Amino acid sequence: NAGVTQTPKFRILKIGQSMTLQCAQDMNHNYMYWYRQDPGMGLKLIYYSVGAGITDKGEVPNGYNVSRSTTEDFPLRLELAAPSQTSVYFCASSYDPTLAGGLGYEQYFGPGTRLTVT
Amino acid sequence: KNEVEQSPQNLTAQEGEFITINCSYSVGISALHWLQQHPGGGIVSLFMLSSGKKKHGRLIATINIQEKHSSLHITASHPRDSAVYICAVLTSSNYKLTFGKGTLLTVNP
């Protein structure tokens, strides 16, 4: 099993450009997440999905869009990139955390995408 | 004020030392997770706990629900333990993880 894969690993964008960060998992997890990690800060949830066709906003959704057409894939779209979106982006997946008797399930993280917007 | 506070932010130890990293939180939680992030960036889950203590090899995690506090201990630390250790709480209101800023641990040989 590949686990959670992300592409690309690195990307430099100019202000105003758009791009899609790809994320895929092969563990049949119904929950998928996108986080951003800024220097000296904790991971922040951008968007999440509880299953194909269902997505919802997290803590910092502005400037991003997501879609979930299959269980496996959860791409993150940046429209009109801004310097404030310079960050490391992590995709993660898990089983439904509400079904684990309170503990939640382990989240499996992808290797991350380092994005710089200049 | 952050909902999840970790201390210390940075920790340098000599090989073999006993390490303690602390985590305090201010929200209602269902569980607390400890994660490890290696210099290459990969993040892996170490523990999930809602009460008491868990042990895995040289790592021990404890939680005190009444005091809203958890600790991660590393016994007989080794340079390969050098990483960022992240505390995250699974909030009982929405089952989402809220993360601390992490503790950078460096273990020197």
Side-chain angles (χ1 to χ4, degrees):
Chain A
N1 286 353
V4 180
T5 58
Q6 287 183 241
T7 55
K9 284 190 167 45
F10 304 93
R11 183 73 186 268
I12 299 174
L13 280 182
K14 293 192 186 305
I15 294 171
Q17 287 185 320
S18 300
M19 77 165 293
T20 299
L21 281 65
Q22 301 292 344
C23 174
Q25 53 93 10
D26 61 0
M27 296 171 282
N28 204 32
H29 288 161
N30 46 353
Y31 275 61
M32 295 187 75
Y33 313 84
W34 274 106
Y35 296 99
R36 59 178 288 171
Q37 185 179 42
D38 299 317
M41 303 296 291
L43 288 148
K44 301 288 186 191
L45 181 64
I46 305 171
Y47 270 95
Y48 69 99
S49 169
V50 303
I54 307 170
T55 62
D56 207 349
K57 295 177 181 178
E59 194 179 348
V60 289
N62 290 346
Y64 307 95
N65 277 302
V66 293
S67 60
R68 184 104 180 261
S69 57
T70 66
T71 299
E72 294 78 20
D73 300 297
F74 190 40
L76 177 72
R77 177 88 178 154
L78 278 73
E79 304 281 2
L80 298 174
S84 61
Q85 293 177 305
T86 293
S87 189
V88 181
Y89 291 85
F90 288 95
C91 178
S93 71
S94 75
Y95 292 115
D96 184 345
T98 67
L99 300 179
L103 273 183
Y105 283 106
E106 177 180 354
Q107 287 193 16
Y108 291 81
F109 287 80
T113 295
R114 187 173 294 274
L115 175 68
T116 302
V117 182
T118 63
Chain B
K1 187 179 185 299
N2 290 329
E3 294 175 332
V4 182
E5 297 276 1
Q6 287 186 237
S7 63
Q9 282 186 293
N10 294 281
L11 182 54
T12 300
Q14 289 300 122
E15 185 173 355
E17 286 185 0
F18 181 84
I19 305 293
T20 295
I21 299 170
N22 296 300
C23 176
S24 298
Y25 54 91
S26 58
V27 293
I29 72 167
S30 182
L32 186 141
H33 293 211
W34 282 101
L35 306 102
Q36 181 190 56
Q37 183 172 24
H38 271 286
I43 300 172
V44 295
S45 178
L46 296 175
F47 294 103
M48 297 180 293
L49 65 167
S50 59
S51 65
K53 180 165 86 171
K54 286 193 174 181
K55 185 174 189 288
H56 185 249
R58 295 179 294 105
L59 273 60
I60 304 165
T62 65
I63 188 168
N64 185 319
I65 295 292
Q66 287 72 31
E67 294 187 3
K68 296 191 172 182
H69 181 269
S70 175
S71 293
L72 177 68
H73 305 285
I74 305 175
T75 62
S77 60
H78 190 277
R80 66 174 174 266
D81 297 326
S82 297
V84 175
Y85 292 85
I86 301 170
C87 171
V89 297
L90 190 70
T91 53
S92 50
S93 59
N94 61 12
Y95 282 89
K96 300 294 177 295
L97 285 178
T98 299
F99 296 82
K101 295 180 180 181
T103 295
L104 174 60
L105 171 65
T106 303
V107 182
N108 294 317

